[in-house]
Amino acid sequence: MADRLSVTGIAKRFGATIALDGVDFAIAAGEVHALIGENGAGKSTLLGVLHGGTRADRGMMQLDDSRYAPNTPHEARRRGVVLIHQELSLCAHLSVMENVLLGAELSRAGVIDRRASHRRAEELLSELPHPEIQPDALVRDLSLPARQIVEVCRALASEARVVLMDEPTSSLQGSDVERLFALIRRLASKGMSIVYVSHFLEEVRRIADRYTVLRDGRSVATGMMDAVTNDDLIATMVGRPPATLFPAGVRYAIPQVAMCVEGLACPPRLHDATFELRRGEIFGIAGLLGSGRTELVRALIGLDAPSAGMVRVGDNDEPSTSASRRIREGVGYLSEDRKGEGLALALSLADNICATRPEYAHSALGILDLQEQSAQSSRWMSVLRVSALGTQQAARSLSGGNQQKVALARLLHQRANILLLDEPTRGIDIGAKADVYEMINLRASAGCAVLIVSSYLPELFGLCDRLAVMCRGTLSPARAIDEWTPESVMTAAIGG
Amino acid sequence: MLRTWIARLGPALGLVIVVLVFALLTDAPGRYLSTFNLRIVLSQTVIVALGAIGMTMIIISGGIDLSVGATIALTGVMTALGIRSGWPPSLALVAAVLAGGFVGVLNGMVITTLRVVPFIVTLGMLGIARGVAKWLAHEQTVNVPTTWMNDLLVTFPRQGWLVLPIGVWTTLALAVFVAFVLRRTVFGRRIFALGSNEAAARACGIDTNRLKVAVYACAGCLFGLTGAMQMSRLRQGDPTVANGAELDIIAAVVIGGGSLNGGEGSILGSMIGALVMAFLRNGCQQMGWPNYIQEIIIGVIIVAAVALDRARASWATSHA
């Protein structure tokens, strides 16, 4: 089988982060090739390189025996390589027909030939077994699965030969997954090559002919799907545990419940979560991106209103609550989105640290005591070893790791005794990680209840006392950390 | 389909309500609804309506233009200066349109090449164009000799068979033409795509920067024509005229269902929006209400129109 698209030695770094570090893979005409790997293994970056969104630093790409190095998505599309995004990129205000033909409109002297457009759209839609999608329907009126079909249709319209699909089933329900698979097989049988990115192994097994595993930015294994077991794949994805970064925790189990959660649901992502968070423990939540982990934390802190279930903090078990109330109850929240909602980047470090409880640093009448604010901030900053010029520096000017420490310093200033940490070490370097781990461990030793959501398994294994796994909106029962293995967590996360 | 029609009818319903309310409020509904008064309202609408045609294009594309009022003053002054120095009126008219287009190109170029948001760029252009207008006119009004240019907006055209002033017919024709361009041409389709999802438009191979410049340029030409109309109405070039006109024009587009987030809007809606405001102004005058009452009512209408539109949108999604 001749390769339709092959890449060798692709490497890419973003600043200090090495996203790709030598990726080789090839796909033949009519093949469905799965790219699998943990979160952060480099799948998205590789897709970026393939569809022209990102330029590789090194490496060679060949498409049908000629060099392929697209500078823009448009150039990739012209060469017949199309990405179907995880977040769909359609124009919601336009109709199905208009979206499908966008950029390739059928026109005479600039005036759209409506009859021909209609015919072409119907022709393309008829290739796909979805009679319910009308060419004149507005995209914003379509369901998510239907929108995905429209994207596929657009790929057909541009006569794509290689279609890159990024987690195409992450927002689909069972029967829609079946229909998508039928569609993928149909496209493959017509000679289209499909790069299928997913971490749901069962799905990958059903749809893909071959696989390539990415780990830490490298392609570590490739082969026929039939010739490998799921256990082997998981072992390859997880790899070796890294060197210890984690403080040896000497903690006392306090049998006191800090937060009790029962049957919590917050559609569309979170369906059922039940657990108890105890004082003095670190409780981990693992799961894939989009499994409902972040939605769980947001419901707990009162940012999203749950549709069912109960959260009890201390004596308060009112179901509806607000973040300001939770914060007064001593719950602290670290957002996974540091730049978007974690920090006010334009404000000073002192303003950021004192944001949740300004009353700890103001006098009567609500006038801010700037000296006190500054003194308290610099105390927390030294506890967390933030390297900054001073408390009045803008948060924007710090590195990611130091920004994260400032966000954590806010929780210390808040005197929070229940810490909800969503991806506390995302995108920060090893040194900062060690400091963050130490702080988390110290708080737990001091009797705080800590809940950590993380995509990084070694971190959960290094820190947590107990762990539960979120899979498609449902939280597994919590078990002590030594009853889990990385493989069993992965299996639970992909719904095995 | 039904929803699209409700959305189209929303502003029209607002217009009917405004007209009915004032017809009932005034002692003589016959006079408020007389063809005489209707002609007055229509000629009063021309400035805002013409501007709203251009603004609709910009707002659908996801942009905004705050420099409209200043552009109207600038091109009005240029028309007057041209005619005063002996140009044929038609040449002065063309010059005004091109000058407006030039201002639009400048706006578009700065937005795309320097990557400054449209709000700021056009806010700056508001000052620049107004300043240039005053400079050219030596901070005085520019008087013009009588030519046919002065008759574009007379309520009763000399040629009786026209029924309505030429300016009204011109506006109507341009409205139909631009509505066709927006709905039926590749250019129009791409303007909607740009405003709806710029990243998607770019991914589909649309040169979004060039498209933006083109949108501001086309709209600028329309603003230039508006300036000539303004000159015709005043029968002189006034560099201080149309102060704040941009807000009336944006309001007309928004009342007509345009979304400042882009991707939504229609010429028909914007025209109805312009009429709503004209009928309101006229009605308030007929009632002998002071100016400040008009301003308060129009303010309330703008917010209410958009709030209703949002309510309708969320109702539609929850019943989808």
Side-chain angles (χ1 to χ4, degrees):
Chain A
M1 237 177 351
D3 289 335
R4 162 74 50 82
L5 173 70
S6 70
V7 308
T8 40
I10 296 289
K12 174 76 193 171
R13 42 193 307 157
F14 296 104
T17 331
I18 297 169
L20 293 179
D21 188 19
V23 174
D24 305 327
F25 106 106
I27 180 166
E31 178 188 344
V32 181
H33 194 119
L35 269 183
I36 49 187
E38 282 191 285
N39 299 332
K43 294 171 299 190
S44 300
T45 314
L46 180 58
L47 285 185
V49 170
L50 290 176
H51 95 285
T54 318
R55 286 222 69 170
D57 299 335
R58 278 189 286 113
M60 265 286 291
M61 294 197 278
Q62 282 223 318
L63 181 66
D64 287 335
D65 300 324
S66 63
R67 213 175 80 87
Y68 172 68
N71 284 314
T72 61
H74 181 214
E75 205 180 321
R77 183 174 283 260
R78 265 209 324 263
R79 297 284 302 268
V81 180
V82 177
L83 172 69
I84 294 181
H85 284 269
Q86 208 168 351
E87 297 101 30
L88 306 170
S89 63
L90 295 173
C91 295
H93 301 94
L94 300 187
S95 73
V96 170
M97 172 183 85
E98 290 167 340
N99 266 289
V100 166
L101 297 176
L102 188 60
E105 295 88 351
L106 301 172
S107 61
R108 251 177 287 163
V111 178
I112 287 179
D113 186 339
R114 304 222 299 159
R115 209 172 304 156
S117 306
H118 214 272
R119 219 170 27 232
R120 177 93 175 110
E122 274 187 334
E123 198 178 289
L124 290 164
L125 281 168
S126 70
E127 301 257 319
L128 319 174
H130 292 269
E132 79 281 10
I133 302 176
Q134 296 297 320
D136 291 320
L138 288 183
V139 162
R140 67 170 163 204
D141 296 340
L142 296 183
S143 65
L144 225 56
R147 289 184 194 199
Q148 205 158 28
I149 303 298
V150 176
E151 282 235 24
V152 172
C153 212
R154 186 156 79 186
L156 289 177
S158 62
E159 279 158 17
R161 289 174 300 163
V162 180
V163 174
L164 315 169
M165 300 185 119
D166 190 6
E167 299 283 355
T169 59
S170 59
S171 46
L172 298 187
Q173 304 294 324
S175 63
D176 294 318
V177 172
E178 292 308 317
R179 302 215 293 177
L180 181 72
F181 281 7
L183 174 56
I184 290 176
R185 282 197 203 96
R186 196 171 165 139
L187 298 179
S189 70
K190 294 176 156 212
M192 199 180 272
S193 307
I194 287 140
V195 178
Y196 187 96
V197 173
S198 178
H199 31 219
F200 293 107
L201 284 190
E202 287 309 322
E203 286 181 358
V204 164
R205 177 165 292 287
R206 289 182 39 215
I207 192 69
D209 305 315
R210 283 200 294 169
Y211 68 91
T212 295
V213 178
L214 292 187
R215 190 176 70 221
D216 302 329
R218 290 196 190 89
S219 46
V220 290
T222 186
M224 298 302 291
M225 207 71 227
D226 297 336
V228 67
T229 65
N230 277 1
D231 289 346
D232 290 343
L233 278 181
I234 288 174
T236 324
M237 284 161 73
V238 174
R240 287 166 286 104
T244 51
L245 269 170
F246 305 99
V250 184
R251 288 196 298 274
Y252 306 94
I254 306 172
Q256 198 184 351
V257 175
M259 182 181 256
C260 179
V261 180
E262 267 179 41
L264 194 68
C266 192
R269 287 279 172 86
L270 179 63
H271 303 304
D272 183 18
T274 301
F275 65 95
E276 281 182 349
L277 183 61
R278 300 178 195 141
R279 300 214 172 282
E281 80 167 343
I282 301 178
F283 186 97
I285 292 184
L288 303 170
L289 291 177
S291 60
R293 305 173 311 182
T294 293
E295 288 75 8
L296 170 62
V297 181
R298 286 180 62 89
L300 292 179
I301 189 68
L303 284 173
D304 294 334
S307 65
M310 193 258 324
V311 179
R312 191 170 62 236
V313 179
D315 302 329
N316 171 21
D317 61 352
E318 279 180 47
S320 64
T321 190
S322 66
S324 66
R325 172 150 186 188
R326 284 275 181 257
I327 282 170
R328 268 180 278 120
E329 288 164 353
V331 184
Y333 167 60
L334 181 82
S335 167
E336 62 163 350
D337 183 5
R338 185 165 61 229
K339 295 201 160 88
E341 61 176 19
L343 293 176
L345 292 174
L347 296 188
S348 73
L349 302 182
D351 284 335
N352 269 294
I353 291 172
C354 300
T356 28
R357 300 305 292 261
E359 63 267 34
Y360 289 148
H362 71 51
S363 59
L365 302 175
I367 297 166
L368 283 175
D369 183 342
L370 294 180
Q371 249 169 338
E372 181 64 19
Q373 204 188 36
S374 185
Q376 294 211 16
S377 306
S378 67
R379 181 174 142 223
W380 301 124
M381 280 161 61
S382 66
V383 167
L384 276 160
R385 292 193 276 270
V386 176
S387 51
L389 299 173
T391 56
Q392 296 311 311
Q393 201 180 343
R396 176 184 292 132
S397 60
L398 295 188
S399 70
N402 281 306
Q403 283 182 358
Q404 192 68 342
K405 289 181 184 178
V406 169
L408 283 163
R410 178 190 295 164
L411 305 186
L412 296 181
H413 174 78
Q414 189 199 329
R415 326 269 201 276
N417 50 35
I418 301 174
L419 303 179
L420 309 177
L421 312 177
D422 196 354
E423 298 282 5
T425 61
R426 170 179 288 178
I428 70 178
D429 60 78
I430 295 282
K433 270 185 187 169
D435 289 339
V436 169
Y437 295 147
E438 189 185 326
M439 172 258 180
I440 291 171
N441 205 44
L442 279 174
R443 294 317 298 157
S445 308
C448 290
V450 184
L451 180 141
I452 296 185
V453 169
S454 176
S455 298
Y456 188 50
L457 281 185
E459 169 174 297
L460 292 172
F461 278 96
L463 277 176
C464 297
D465 303 306
R466 290 192 303 148
L467 182 82
V469 180
M470 185 74 87
C471 175
R472 300 203 162 182
T474 305
L475 190 68
S476 76
R479 283 194 268 157
I481 195 70
D482 38 15
E483 293 175 32
W484 291 101
T485 62
E487 287 77 12
S488 66
V489 171
M490 202 55 158
T491 308
I494 60 183
Chain B
M1 259 339 260
L2 179 70
R3 237 167 71 196
T4 345
W5 277 107
I6 295 174
R8 294 242 171 97
L9 288 180
L13 206 64
L15 178 61
V16 170
I17 291 172
V18 166
V19 172
L20 276 183
V21 165
F22 278 106
L24 294 177
L25 276 179
T26 49
D27 298 332
R31 203 180 63 195
Y32 183 67
L33 292 175
S34 67
T35 47
F36 175 78
N37 193 42
L38 289 182
R39 286 187 197 187
I40 292 181
V41 173
L42 286 179
S43 24
Q44 281 171 343
T45 320
V46 165
I47 304 289
V48 170
L50 256 186
I53 296 175
M55 188 65 83
T56 305
M57 298 175 75
I58 293 178
I59 285 181
I60 289 174
S61 81
I64 191 82
D65 191 341
L66 300 180
S67 64
V68 183
T71 309
I72 290 174
L74 173 65
T75 53
V77 164
M78 289 174 74
T79 316
L81 285 174
I83 294 177
R84 194 177 67 180
S85 55
W87 294 9
S90 48
L91 181 63
L93 186 68
V94 171
V97 171
L98 290 181
F102 178 70
V103 172
V105 169
L106 276 184
N107 278 332
M109 296 291 280
V110 176
I111 289 165
T112 52
T113 54
L114 302 185
R115 290 163 187 268
V116 184
V117 293
F119 189 96
I120 301 298
V121 172
T122 57
L123 183 64
M125 186 55 81
L126 182 161
I128 296 169
R130 180 72 67 183
V132 173
K134 288 180 180 168
W135 181 18
L136 290 179
H138 302 290
E139 299 197 60
Q140 290 164 355
T141 54
V142 180
N143 292 311
V144 289
T146 313
T147 62
W148 58 263
M149 265 300 280
N150 288 1
D151 297 338
L152 293 180
L153 284 179
V154 284
T155 316
F156 296 97
R158 222 167 297 157
Q159 301 86 341
W161 52 270
L162 273 174
V163 184
L164 293 170
I166 298 172
V168 174
W169 289 118
T170 313
T171 309
L172 210 59
L174 280 169
V176 171
F177 175 69
V178 176
F180 175 81
V181 168
L182 282 172
R183 287 287 165 194
R184 292 279 190 274
T185 66
V186 176
F187 179 55
R189 174 77 46 84
R190 290 180 173 187
I191 294 176
F192 273 97
L194 173 67
S196 176
N197 187 341
E198 188 174 343
R202 204 177 306 127
C204 287
I206 294 171
D207 186 338
T208 49
N209 281 351
R210 224 172 61 192
L211 185 60
K212 275 185 205 172
V213 175
V215 167
Y216 280 91
C218 291
C221 289
L222 285 162
F223 301 150
L225 181 62
T226 315
M229 289 286 176
Q230 180 70 262
M231 199 293 297
S232 167
R233 182 158 162 203
L234 296 176
R235 296 171 183 197
Q236 58 184 6
D238 180 355
T240 61
V241 81
N243 210 346
E246 53 278 354
L247 300 184
D248 280 352
I249 290 170
I250 294 170
V253 176
V254 165
I255 290 174
S259 160
L260 292 185
N261 294 325
E264 278 178 283
S266 73
I267 297 290
L268 178 62
S270 301
M271 294 303 97
I272 291 172
L275 281 176
V276 166
M277 290 202 295
F279 272 105
L280 260 176
R281 288 241 156 83
N282 179 272
C284 291
Q285 276 160 12
Q286 301 260 327
M287 296 294 295
W289 291 347
N291 223 356
Y292 55 83
I293 298 283
Q294 295 176 31
E295 285 169 10
I296 293 172
I297 294 180
I298 289 179
V300 171
I301 295 258
I302 292 173
V303 177
V306 177
L308 275 176
D309 195 49
R310 289 301 133 223
R312 181 189 57 76
S314 61
W315 178 83
T317 28
S318 65
H319 288 70

